[in-house]
Amino acid sequence: MLVLLYLIAYIDKTNIGNAKIEGLLPDLGMNGNQYNIALSIFFIPYVLAEVPSNIFLNRFKRLSMYLGSLIFVWGIIMTCTGFIRSFASLVGIRFLLGLFEAGFLPGAVLIISKWYLPHETQTRIAILYTSAASGGAFSGLLAFVIAKMDGIAGYEGWRWIFIIEGLATISLAVLTFFFLLDSPQLSSGWLTPDEIRFLEVRQVANSIQGSQHHGVPWGALVSVLTDWKIYLLILANWSNAVPNYALKFTMPQIIQSMGFTSAKAQLLTIPPYAVGAFSAYVFSIFADRYTWRMPFIIIPQLSQVAAFSILFTKASEISGNIALCYFGVCLACFGMYPILPGVNAWNVSNLPNPTKRAIGIGYLVCMGNAGGIIGSFIYQEKEAPRYPTGYGNSLAFASAGFLACIVLELCLFRLNKQKARLSEVEIRERYTDGELDEMGEKSPLFQYKL
């Protein structure tokens, strides 16, 4: 169910790129800079609402009711996008869309963390995230088909893209109320009491409970905001977020600049996203199998470095380097999509306290999506087809993320060696169980996951 929901969330977030090459800009009297503004405005509420949403969601018993309501509202907003008549209306619609989409991805990761243990999460997050890659592929195919409705009922093809996909979102939102599983405790319809108890006990055994909070968990919030490790993970996350958001809003136009028609460009967006879905899943299987995150993040990052090096040097003559540049786009997607599951799984693995985990998940996703604001501006219409700012910044963020992962790995390895100097007997003589619980991942008994 989460895969279907993330698929539609991804399509609704990025279909503006498909609408662009079907005539969105001239029909609304927009220029290239206004398009970049419309892209970036989405991320302001999207970023600001993610942490509060996860704090709220963590207190909800029926998670399906909360997420289903968000999805239903953004489905209505998406449908309304098909009827706008001005740039100002588009900006307002994108702002509202960002506000209501904000809670979904951190909420989905939180739901996964309630069902699976930390060493099992990356594969599940990858399965969820492959729907983003699949969504990119499906979005191009769907836009190709829907755009043929151009003229029906007096509406342009790009308007039908928003209308049809908005109605599909509303339909899935209704299904969410009935089919999204909330937690093991509320799954007696398909799990036995012993199975429910097993799932609950293993979560308790792998968590540090800490203090119970009835108001805003300020202590956990401050702990997340001052945690240096999460900022390295944010930088690693940006090695996906900035290039990914930038490329998916511009990919149809990049491929069109190779000399293809808009219809063929929509279809040719499918293989790069399919490659991304495959790599996200395969890398995550190995990461969970070996319970080691770092190698399966940095290899994709190095693939990105190679991909954007190709595009940065060859895109100025893209019509003469079609095969090489198209390979570069595919290689970029191969590198981008394994990063988000890896970074989020690494984060979950090192947040044993459930309250801090909920906030930490939201904060990492929130700050990662802040990269979308940067990504919205780096591909400038006036620089097509060379896009030096777009490819150059993507290369820089991929390289910075690579370095952040290496630094984090070395620091965690060193901290684990320091913790290992004391035996468990010595630790328990020095601290009470309550004190060890309050320390969370800083407890000398807790070994950081690499």
Side-chain angles (χ1 to χ4, degrees), residues 301-430:
Q301 287 170 330
L302 290 174
S303 299
Q304 280 188 286
V305 170
F308 288 113
S309 296
I310 291 170
L311 292 167
F312 185 78
T313 55
K314 297 297 182 182
S316 59
E317 300 175 355
I318 196 167
S319 58
N321 294 284
I322 293 174
L324 182 59
C325 289
Y326 189 70
F327 169 76
V329 172
C330 292
L331 185 61
C333 288
F334 174 86
M336 284 187 288
Y337 283 91
I339 296 172
L340 184 140
V343 168
N344 277 278
W346 204 352
N347 187 40
V348 169
S349 298
N350 289 315
L351 294 175
N353 179 278
T355 303
K356 184 176 178 181
R357 182 187 304 159
I359 298 172
I361 289 170
Y363 188 57
L364 179 60
V365 174
C366 149
M367 293 303 294
N369 284 324
I373 299 174
I374 303 168
S376 299
F377 284 99
I378 61 177
Y379 283 91
Q380 298 289 323
E381 186 81 19
K382 62 185 179 182
E383 295 182 344
R386 186 165 172 256
Y387 294 119
T389 305
Y391 297 136
N393 275 279
S394 297
L395 176 60
F397 275 99
S399 302
F402 169 80
L403 293 176
C405 286
I406 297 295
V407 171
L408 180 59
E409 179 81 357
L410 294 174
C411 290
L412 294 182
F413 181 77
R414 183 181 178 185
L415 287 171
N416 283 343
K417 286 190 69 176
Q418 291 175 352
K419 289 184 176 186
R421 291 173 184 169
L422 291 175
S423 68
E424 183 173 348
V425 173
E426 291 174 314
I427 293 169
R428 293 196 179 277
E429 287 176 350
R430 187 174 299 181

Side-chain angles (χ1 to χ4, degrees), residues 105-132:
L105 180 56
V109 174
L110 181 61
I111 290 174
I112 289 172
S113 75
K114 290 179 180 292
W115 282 89
Y116 298 101
L117 298 184
H119 69 275
E120 301 168 337
T121 56
Q122 185 167 341
T123 302
R124 275 75 188 186
I125 295 172
I127 292 171
L128 172 67
Y129 198 52
T130 54
S131 63

Side-chain angles (χ1 to χ4, degrees), residues 163 244 272:
I163 294 169
N244 197 344

Side-chain angles (χ1 to χ4, degrees), residues 6 9 13 41-55 57 66-67 69-71 73-74 77 94-110 245 358 361-367 369:
Y6 195 42
K13 186 170 16 182
I41 202 70
F42 170 91
F43 291 99
I44 296 174
Y46 192 69
V47 166
L48 294 177
E50 284 176 314
V51 172
S53 177
N54 244 31
I55 292 174
L57 178 63
Y66 178 71
L67 291 183
S69 299
L70 291 181
I71 297 163
V73 174
W74 98 53
I77 294 168
R94 295 286 295 176
F95 182 91
L96 291 173
L97 186 65
L99 179 64
F100 284 94
E101 273 207 43
F104 178 73
L105 180 56
V109 174
L110 181 61
Y245 277 119
I361 289 170
Y363 188 57
L364 179 60
V365 174
C366 149
M367 293 303 294
N369 284 324

